[in-house]
Amino acid sequence: SQQGEEDPQALSIQEGENATMNCSYKTSINNLQWYRQNSGRGLVHLILIRSNEREKHSGRLRVTLDTSKKSSSLLITASRAADTASYFCATGLRGGAQKLVFGQGTRLTINP
Amino acid sequence: DAEITQSPRHKITETGRQVTLACHQTWNHNNMFWYRQDLGHGLRLIHYSYGVQDTNKGEVSDGYSVSRSNTEDLPLTLESAASSQTSVYFCASSESFSGSVSSYTFGSGTRLTVV
């Protein structure tokens, strides 16, 4: 079963609006990462947040992590058409294994 | 520049044939991974390796095998291709950190169709 589940599965907004995607997971994590995938391409790493961090910023991206609720959110501010893509959360589990478990992704469409 | 390349980009094969998908990275990463991506399932881990001569099964390893003879390459072999293995396959690599999971660098993917 998937460790991470993104919500919503699909999101469509107007250019310039903010987009928020959520991720829930089931077990204790070492860190949580967000990736972007443009259609027909590989995934690209966006941001990593460690389990002892609560918030992290990178440009127009803001990620929050609530380990008590086992959830994370990705906020993209002032969206652009180029932000149209699928976004995946991935969890790095505690215990030494260096593999990531991916959610099913949120499909984000930015309308001009 | 360092990169991770997959070949071929597209492959059509017949049921029952053996198929090998190539993955080559020049990041000098110890960790390498194979995932498959299907609608409704996201990315699922097939096999992974933490270094030369090390291989491990992921959650969907049946019908697949890998070998790691050097740092740069982790080829994925479908022993006897089945229609259920029609998918997009992604290779990824990452640095090895004790006690932490580092970020992945992904290849562009191989779209495999089994007919």
Side-chain angles (χ1 to χ4, degrees):
Chain A
S1 62
Q2 295 290 344
Q3 157 78 332
E5 294 185 3
E6 281 96 338
D7 171 57
Q9 290 189 343
L11 178 62
S12 180
I13 61 173
Q14 295 301 120
E15 195 167 17
E17 295 180 338
N18 295 342
T20 299
M21 289 158 273
N22 302 296
C23 171
S24 61
Y25 58 92
K26 297 175 182 175
T27 59
S28 295
I29 62 171
N30 176 281
N31 63 50
L32 187 143
Q33 304 179 27
W34 286 89
Y35 289 78
R36 183 187 73 232
Q37 183 182 33
N38 290 94
S39 182
R41 309 292 296 274
L43 283 74
V44 174
H45 178 254
L46 294 176
I47 196 165
L48 180 155
I49 186 166
R50 303 185 196 288
S51 59
N52 61 355
E53 298 175 312
R54 291 298 168 257
E55 187 170 313
K56 203 160 184 181
H57 296 255
S58 176
R60 294 184 296 111
L61 305 181
R62 173 180 166 249
V63 169
T64 61
L65 179 64
D66 186 335
T67 53
S68 67
K69 295 181 179 179
K70 291 186 169 61
S71 67
S72 173
S73 67
L74 170 66
L75 169 67
I76 303 174
T77 60
S79 62
R80 305 167 181 170
D83 295 327
T84 293
S86 292
Y87 292 81
F88 294 85
C89 71
T91 49
L93 305 182
R94 287 191 181 280
Q98 299 200 16
K99 54 185 178 176
L100 292 174
V101 180
F102 287 82
Q104 295 187 27
T106 292
R107 176 66 189 170
L108 175 64
T109 302
I110 309 298
N111 302 303
Chain B
D1 287 348
E3 58 183 2
I4 178 167
T5 56
Q6 293 184 235
S7 61
R9 288 299 311 273
H10 302 272
K11 174 79 175 177
I12 301 175
T13 191
E14 295 178 345
T15 301
R17 289 193 178 269
Q18 184 180 81
V19 177
T20 297
L21 309 183
C23 177
H24 178 80
Q25 54 99 1
T26 57
W27 290 96
N28 200 34
H29 287 163
N30 282 329
N31 303 335
M32 294 185 73
F33 308 85
W34 275 104
Y35 288 82
R36 60 178 287 175
Q37 184 176 32
D38 305 285
L39 278 174
H41 291 281
L43 279 84
R44 292 182 290 174
L45 183 61
I46 305 171
H47 281 286
Y48 58 102
S49 167
Y50 290 152
V52 176
Q53 301 300 333
D54 175 75
T55 61
N56 305 279
K57 294 181 178 180
E59 62 177 307
V60 290
S61 61
D62 286 350
Y64 303 94
S65 63
V66 293
S67 61
R68 187 90 179 271
S69 59
N70 58 51
T71 300
E72 295 79 18
D73 299 288
L74 187 70
L76 176 71
T77 297
L78 286 68
E79 305 293 345
S80 177
S83 58
S84 60
Q85 295 177 307
T86 293
S87 185
V88 181
Y89 291 86
F90 287 100
C91 178
S93 68
S94 70
E95 288 189 80
S96 178
F97 288 122
S98 176
S100 182
V101 183
S102 58
S103 61
Y104 284 11
T105 300
F106 277 86
S108 296
T110 294
R111 181 175 296 276
L112 177 68
T113 303
V114 182
V115 297

